[in-house]
């Protein structure tokens, strides 16, 4: 019965994610991790990946601001590379989300 509750919890979170259309925080993933209790599970890896993308975006934003304020330690090429890196990381995360939603929809349409 506990396994079914975990599945229902994950399905409810995926439905909420599908309805929102975006990943706003890692709280739902952290809840799944608490239920399963291991550090090597999929939810943990996904949470870490989202945090990494967030860090990349914050670093890019910080570099942009420093460049705009005239910091001599930040050059335009560095800012452009950071912006592109941030954009690619976000797009990759978005594609993973799309694939997860697609897989979820496919599983939900299967007849048991």
């Amino acid at each position: 019965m506990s396994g079914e509750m975990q599945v229902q919890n994950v399905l409810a979170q995926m439905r909420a994610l599908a309805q929102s259309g975006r990943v706003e925080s890692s709280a739902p993933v952290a809840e799944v991790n608490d239920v399963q209790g291991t550090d090597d599970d999929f939810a943990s890896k996904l949470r870490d990946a989202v945090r990494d993308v967030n860090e990349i975006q914050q670093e890019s934003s910080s570099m942009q601001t420093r460049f705009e304020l005239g910091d001599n330690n930040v050059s335009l090429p560095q800012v452009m590379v950071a912006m592109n890196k941030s954009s690619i990381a976000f797009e990759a995360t978005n594609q993973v989300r799309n694939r997860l939603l697609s897989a979820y929809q496919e599983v939900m349409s299967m007849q048991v």
Side-chain angles (χ1 to χ4, degrees):
M1 199 56 120
S2 175
E4 184 177 336
M5 291 176 61
Q6 290 176 355
V7 170
Q8 293 301 325
N9 187 16
V10 171
L11 292 176
Q13 291 172 5
M14 290 181 79
R15 285 185 188 117
L17 179 63
Q19 290 174 352
S20 72
R22 63 187 185 281
V23 177
E24 291 186 17
S25 71
S26 61
V29 175
E31 291 171 12
V32 171
N33 189 32
D34 291 342
V35 170
Q36 294 176 353
T38 63
D39 290 333
D40 295 331
D41 60 6
F42 179 76
S44 175
K45 301 253 188 248
L46 184 61
R47 182 186 66 236
D48 292 344
V50 170
R51 285 183 180 164
D52 289 344
V53 170
N54 185 45
E55 287 176 17
I56 291 170
Q57 289 180 327
Q58 288 178 353
E59 180 182 331
S60 173
S61 178
S62 172
M63 287 185 78
Q64 289 174 13
T65 302
R66 288 175 32 208
F67 179 77
E68 290 169 357
L69 294 175
D71 187 345
N72 291 331
N73 295 326
V74 179
S75 67
L76 181 58
Q78 288 174 320
V79 173
M80 296 304 293
V81 167
M83 288 174 59
N84 284 332
K85 185 177 177 182
S86 171
S87 176
I88 290 170
F90 180 77
E91 184 60 34
T93 303
N94 195 31
Q95 290 298 322
V96 169
R97 180 193 66 93
N98 291 343
R99 298 287 174 123
L100 284 172
L101 289 175
S102 176
Y104 165 75
Q105 290 169 347
E106 196 172 311
V107 167
M108 291 306 293
S109 68
M110 288 182 183
Q111 294 183 358
V112 181

